[in-house]
Amino acid sequence: MFEDGSCSRQFETAHAREVLRYASGSRQRAQTPARRLDFGPKGPLHDAGVGEFMGKGKEERGDKALGMEQGITRRDFLNSTLLASGAMLLAPLTSAELLARAAAQGEDWSGPGGVGDYADSNGNTLAVLTAGHKIRDHAYDRLPADVVETHETYDCVVVGGGISGLAAALLFKQRAGEGMKCLVLDDHPIFGGEAKRNEFLVDGHRLIAHQGSAFYFVPYPYSFIGRFYDSVGLKQPRLEYQKWGGPGPEMVVSTTPYGAPGLDRGQYGIFFGAKFGQKPGMWVVDPLGKKLAGAPIPEATRAEWMKMLTGTSRPGWQEPRPQYDGDPVSRQLDTITLEDHLMDRYGVSREAVRTFLTDEGSGFGLGPDALSAFSAYAPDMLHPLPNGENQMFPGGNAGFARLIMKTLLPGAISGGDSVEEVCRGAVNFGILDRLGSATRVRLNATVVWVQHDGEPEKSQTVTIAYARGAKVYRVKARAVVMAGGSWTTKNVVRDLGTAQREAYGQFYRSPAMMANVAVRNWKFLAKLGITGCRWFEGVGSYMQVRKIALVGADSPTISPEQPIVLALKVIFPFPGLPTDQQGHRGRYQLISTSFREYERQIRQQFDDMFSRAGFDPKHDIAGIVLNRWGHAYLSPQPGWYYGKDGKPSPRDVLRAEPFGRIAFANTDLSGNMDHRASILEADRAVRQLLDQVVRG
Ligand SMILES: Cc1cc2nc3c(=O)[nH]c(=O)nc-3n(C[C@H](O)[C@H](O)[C@H](O)COP(=O)(O)OP(=O)(O)OC[C@H]3O[C@@H](n4cnc5c(N)ncnc54)[C@H](O)[C@@H]3O)c2cc1C
């Protein structure tokens, strides 16, 4: 029960929205009105109030003052300065020109990757991007004459080494029985897909942050997911976290980069910059407590925003809450956009939603205008344990990828199999693809061609070709799980059936970037009296201090004096454009902006927002790692979940049965970008193959 006597319903709604967003702080507050009663201790400058901490009263600072020469990057200055940023380009480039520009920057496009096992694998690096785009540009429409024949035949080949692909390999191993062989192919230098991590060394502290997939919910213990967690060694899904280490009264921090607990406790800030006519910018600290007083917006806008911030639905509004996946309520929700749904819910204008709720769909990569309204409720269908606090490994759901890998190949991560050892251990890359092993994991391998040897329904094997370095290699399999995602599967399965091709044609994936910024301390936030904040222009739109789970924390305590990583999640919405076009434009921006340009923007952003609170970008930023995900999220448009015009939904077509010897997995098939969906889709795909193909 919450303080006001209400119980799980608010939690469930909050849960839906938190998944919906894995993002914005503001909504978390909006969905948990009961928690408003729970006032916590205030930060040191809690009463600083509106406008006290103004941005610097000067124009943008030069590169030197921003710390651009601090040597955190491995850039070639000459190269970088020759390259215009995407925003500055006058005429749009073709995709080939765009890639050529990125390629001209070499390593500098990907930027530094931090330290440790993930140092060469920050998001889709240039090498991954280049290999992937060659598929799209038809470089492999015919296999090259010098394709290398490996003479390997597997019972199952899994394309994609994210959580879905790794789970598929594990479930195949557990169920197929002795002697069955499986190969996982992934295009990145390390397994995990979007569930990877960055590591930083800052003043002797080792800091870990997520590259993409971040947190998880505590599952029901006997649910499929609960048992799966247990089977990979996560016996206690509730983790222990850092405790407050002062100095000063305890400030409220989250267990995840989301959730904005400070919003309820007066420890949250909203920054208003040039978009709101503020140059220099200004802060409203404790926007809820102050009811947005002092915010540079008209009274009517303030009233609309307060409704959204507090989660106050318009009088008489009844939440259309689905009872089960596919009931009439969910089908109705799937006929409208999330934007229309939110306007109706709060009784606010389209402009208000587009200005203040841009993050509402960020768990699906775009703004509410592009998404089915059901996307807000789809995560509820995964049924987490009510009242389970959101959990996060230090490197996000990279923790799951590592636990699965340790279970598959115990030697793959050094040390024992406790969660802590798996989080902290080093990856033994030599173990992953060992001759004679029942399961092999081959990295840096971009699958470019998958085709049945003969008619799909009659063939006995499938040919899979992958590019690695300058060569293309060929293996064979009795069964295949395509776990890489819609954006690649539709291009590499050469003989894909018409129904499946049409279905995948309705999957639109949108880009995102996770910019991880390591700072030497967060005294500037503490001075403002905040642990999280929101802004509306520049790079990203929110940040949140989080306490780290002890299974990988650098220190048992958290304090503003210590270094931390602040994650800026960047999505690329273009409200009003069709969903697919928003994705194309976003990718254009993501690819055409050099690391150096992003670095400058981030430094400028921090300078604008925090320099009056003592932040110096030159000294206080210890490292920046960009994780660019070209096809980060499925963005389900209206009609995606349940089909349109009497046609089945695309996900149903792909989930119904294998296509010949090929079954489909990846989280995007569920319409939930969620690691639980990755596992559930893998489970279905493996069952289908074992029932109908391998043993059929
Ligand atoms: C920024 C961000 C934040 C997120 N936050 C959360 C969160 O907090 N919690 C949560 O549960 N989920 C979150 N997600 C959703 C995330 O998608 C899932 O949790 C999960 O990591 C997806 O795993 P997957 O295996 O289904 O797909 P992916 O992780 O995309 O794995 C697919 C893998 O296959 C590879 N691949 C694709 N094509 C080929 C090919 N042709 N050849 C070889 N390899 C190929 C890909 O490069 C990738 O490595 C987030 C996603 C993003 C982008």
Side-chain angles (χ1 to χ4, degrees):
M1 289 261 185
F2 289 127
E3 294 86 330
D4 70 349
S6 61
C7 55
S8 65
R9 198 168 172 289
Q10 280 95 339
F11 170 79
E12 287 166 19
T13 310
H15 146 67
R17 303 306 190 274
E18 180 132 16
V19 177
L20 172 66
R21 91 13 246 185
Y22 288 129
S24 145
S26 57
R27 277 297 283 171
Q28 175 65 6
R29 170 58 178 78
Q31 297 306 322
T32 52
R35 292 174 194 226
R36 220 172 313 159
L37 302 175
D38 183 17
F39 289 106
K42 297 177 177 180
L45 286 176
H46 170 78
D47 292 327
V50 176
E52 180 160 325
F53 290 95
M54 310 285 280
K56 283 242 164 183
K58 54 181 154 56
E59 290 304 309
E60 293 181 354
R61 299 216 267 165
D63 280 3
K64 206 164 173 199
L66 289 174
M68 290 292 289
E69 324 300 333
Q70 288 308 95
I72 64 166
T73 75
R74 49 179 188 240
R75 60 182 168 251
D76 165 349
F77 287 100
L78 181 63
N79 225 1
S80 310
T81 42
L82 287 174
L83 291 154
S85 82
M88 290 160 67
L89 296 170
L90 295 176
L93 303 173
T94 64
S95 72
E97 289 168 334
L98 199 58
L99 264 185
R101 273 180 183 259
Q105 297 167 66
E107 290 286 280
D108 292 334
W109 184 85
S110 307
V115 300
D117 289 332
Y118 294 78
D120 293 329
S121 196
N122 48 315
N124 300 144
T125 55
L126 185 64
V128 170
L129 183 81
T130 309
H133 279 234
K134 279 171 91 175
I135 303 172
R136 197 208 46 196
D137 295 340
H138 307 289
Y140 302 107
D141 283 0
R142 284 174 196 283
L143 285 180
D146 62 348
V147 61
V148 180
E149 185 58 69
T150 63
H151 302 291
E152 293 170 351
T153 301
Y154 293 89
D155 296 294
C156 184
V157 163
V158 178
V159 178
I163 289 182
S164 197
L166 295 175
L170 180 61
L171 294 167
F172 185 82
K173 181 178 178 178
Q174 291 167 343
R175 293 169 185 173
E178 282 291 302
M180 294 287 225
K181 291 195 301 176
C182 178
L183 172 70
V184 179
L185 294 165
D186 192 85
D187 52 354
H188 287 82
I190 191 165
F191 56 87
E194 293 176 346
K196 293 195 181 67
R197 69 192 204 189
N198 297 138
E199 295 170 28
F200 297 81
L201 257 188
V202 180
D203 303 334
H205 298 268
R206 193 174 195 92
L207 308 178
I208 305 181
H210 56 299
Q211 291 194 16
S213 190
F215 76 93
Y216 66 95
F217 297 101
V218 177
Y220 280 97
Y222 295 104
S223 63
F224 175 77
I225 290 295
R227 283 181 288 119
F228 184 87
Y229 285 1
D230 189 81
S231 78
V232 296
L234 186 63
K235 310 278 178 207
Q236 297 290 344
R238 282 190 174 81
L239 304 176
E240 297 276 322
Y241 295 86
Q242 291 172 315
K243 300 266 184 298
W244 181 252
E250 181 169 350
M251 297 186 78
V252 56
V253 292
S254 181
T255 52
T256 77
Y258 310 114
L263 197 56
D264 293 323
R265 317 259 181 117
Q267 294 181 6
Y268 200 80
I270 298 181
F271 182 78
F272 297 90
K275 191 170 173 182
F276 294 87
Q278 303 300 304
K279 202 162 167 58
M282 61 163 291
W283 283 98
V284 172
V285 172
D286 187 15
L288 279 186
K290 296 193 166 71
K291 298 194 171 55
L292 286 169
I297 49 175
E299 199 48 51
T301 309
R302 188 189 331 278
E304 287 194 312
W305 195 2
M306 275 307 288
K307 286 188 213 166
M308 297 184 277
L309 216 47
T310 54
T312 309
S313 306
R314 69 172 166 73
W317 191 78
Q318 287 288 321
E319 184 167 23
R321 203 174 167 71
Q323 296 302 311
Y324 59 88
D325 195 344
D327 69 0
V329 176
S330 38
R331 286 171 190 276
Q332 169 60 27
L333 282 164
D334 192 36
T335 63
I336 59 170
T337 64
L338 180 56
E339 183 173 85
D340 285 337
H341 176 66
L342 293 169
M343 285 166 61
D344 182 37
R345 171 183 188 152
Y346 296 116
V348 296
S349 64
R350 196 171 302 282
E351 195 191 342
V353 173
R354 290 193 180 180
T355 307
F356 300 114
L357 293 184
T358 41
D359 282 343
E360 196 65 6
S362 85
F364 294 91
L366 289 179
D369 67 298
L371 302 172
S372 163
F374 182 68
S375 61
Y377 298 88
D380 283 347
M381 305 300 146
L382 293 172
H383 304 294
L385 188 71
N387 298 330
E389 207 187 351
N390 301 340
Q391 304 293 323
M392 184 162 166
F393 298 109
N397 289 330
F400 282 118
R402 296 169 71 88
L403 285 168
I404 299 171
M405 181 56 81
K406 182 79 180 173
T407 312
L408 257 181
L409 298 169
I413 295 176
S414 63
D417 59 7
S418 70
V419 174
E420 173 148 14
E421 285 167 287
V422 174
C423 276
R424 293 189 192 269
V427 174
N428 294 325
F429 287 93
I431 299 279
L432 300 184
D433 189 10
R434 245 193 346 193
L435 193 66
S437 173
T439 305
R440 299 174 70 169
V441 179
R442 198 161 292 166
L443 300 172
N444 295 307
T446 303
V447 173
V448 298
W449 172 287
V450 177
Q451 185 168 306
H452 293 89
D453 298 320
E455 283 178 50
E457 297 311 324
K458 295 185 188 154
S459 70
Q460 294 303 304
T461 52
V462 181
T463 291
I464 301 104
Y466 60 89
R468 209 177 193 210
K471 293 266 181 211
V472 176
Y473 300 81
R474 181 158 48 195
V475 298
K476 287 197 184 285
R478 292 169 62 204
V480 175
V481 177
M482 294 300 300
S486 52
W487 46 284
T488 162
T489 300
K490 66 183 178 194
N491 289 319
V492 300
V493 182
R494 303 289 163 171
D495 57 351
L496 193 62
T498 310
Q500 289 84 2
R501 196 170 290 284
E502 280 176 5
Y504 269 139
Q506 296 170 60
F507 282 60
Y508 300 128
R509 293 202 45 159
S510 306
M513 182 174 76
M514 191 70 78
N516 279 326
V517 183
V519 290
R520 294 191 197 283
N521 61 69
W522 52 282
K523 289 188 280 190
F524 57 99
L525 291 175
K527 194 167 179 193
L528 279 165
I530 62 178
T531 54
C533 59
R534 173 87 165 93
W535 61 94
F536 296 92
E537 57 205 287
V539 186
S541 57
Y542 69 96
M543 65 170 74
Q544 176 62 51
V545 177
R546 70 176 171 109
K547 50 189 172 187
I548 307 295
L550 296 182
V551 289
D554 174 71
S555 150
T557 55
I558 181 170
S559 129
E561 314 271 332
Q562 292 164 350
I564 57 167
V565 179
L566 292 166
L568 311 189
K569 180 167 141 184
V570 182
I571 59 165
F572 300 86
F574 295 89
L577 285 184
T579 311
D580 58 333
Q581 286 185 35
Q582 294 199 33
H584 294 318
R585 282 213 185 183
R587 268 185 292 279
Y588 190 94
Q589 202 168 315
L590 179 76
I591 297 173
S592 63
T593 308
S594 66
F595 174 85
R596 184 172 170 81
E597 178 57 24
Y598 271 130
E599 179 186 356
R600 182 185 288 108
Q601 289 177 17
I602 290 167
R603 287 179 178 277
Q604 186 69 56
Q605 182 103 34
F606 274 66
D607 190 45
D608 289 347
M609 296 201 299
F610 303 123
S611 55
R612 279 285 298 277
F615 186 82
D616 179 352
K618 185 171 174 182
H619 293 111
D620 293 335
I621 292 182
I624 297 174
V625 174
L626 301 184
N627 303 289
R628 308 186 202 220
W629 301 107
H631 304 266
Y633 290 108
L634 175 80
S635 307
Q637 67 277 21
W640 188 90
Y641 287 96
Y642 302 107
K644 263 173 129 169
D645 308 324
K647 292 189 178 152
S649 74
R651 62 176 177 168
D652 285 349
V653 172
L654 292 156
R655 285 161 147 183
E657 58 178 357
F659 166 65
R661 296 186 160 266
I662 302 171
F664 307 97
N666 190 282
T667 186
D668 63 4
L669 283 181
S670 70
N672 276 317
M673 293 305 288
D674 188 304
H675 74 286
R676 293 168 299 173
S678 306
I679 297 165
L680 288 162
E681 297 299 333
D683 168 54
R684 175 201 35 77
V686 168
R687 275 190 286 106
Q688 286 176 330
L689 289 179
L690 288 174
D691 283 352
Q692 300 172 38
V693 175
V694 178
R695 297 182 186 131

